Amino acid sequence: MDLFCLDELGYVKLDRHGAELLFQIFTEREERHGIVIASNRPFTEWDQTFTDKRLCQASLDRLTFEAHIIETGTHSFRLASTTAKRRAAAA
């Protein structure tokens, strides 16, 4: 597949085997195919998801090399969208 999309990375801790498999996907796709990841955590907190610090650092190294990183902030887009729709409907 041309693009691998991973949404909500960071909500669930990965066990060692799961983290290793995900790292393998990142490594195999590195510089060949696109990866899009959405996370509610900044990079400094990814060690809470990848509980092995070395594996976390290696994963971030592969993901951030020549990456386009878009930080949207800490506010929920979904909540803001729902709130705006409700306000518009009430007006």
Side-chain angles (χ1 to χ4, degrees):
M1 73 183 102
D2 292 330
L3 183 63
F4 176 72
C5 298
L6 181 58
D7 192 16
E8 308 294 358
L9 182 64
Y11 276 104
V12 178
K13 285 185 180 181
L14 299 170
D15 65 13
R16 176 76 185 183
H17 184 67
E20 288 172 353
L21 289 173
L22 191 54
F23 173 77
Q24 188 175 1
I25 290 170
F26 295 159
T27 299
E28 289 174 4
R29 297 187 66 81
E30 184 179 19
E31 298 186 49
R32 287 180 281 219
H33 300 288
I35 299 174
V36 173
I37 296 177
S39 177
N40 65 326
R41 294 187 181 273
F43 293 138
T44 56
E45 295 179 8
W46 277 32
D47 60 350
Q48 295 174 30
T49 300
F50 291 85
T51 53
D52 180 297
K53 289 190 184 257
R54 282 185 149 172
L55 192 55
C56 179
Q57 290 172 341
S59 295
L60 282 171
D61 181 62
R62 278 155 180 75
L63 290 172
T64 58
F65 180 68
E66 296 190 15
H68 298 281
I69 300 170
I70 302 169
E71 294 185 62
T72 61
T74 58
H75 300 288
S76 167
F77 172 79
R78 292 179 180 114
L79 178 60
S81 177
T82 301
T83 303
K85 287 177 185 176
R86 287 185 181 162
R87 285 187 188 145

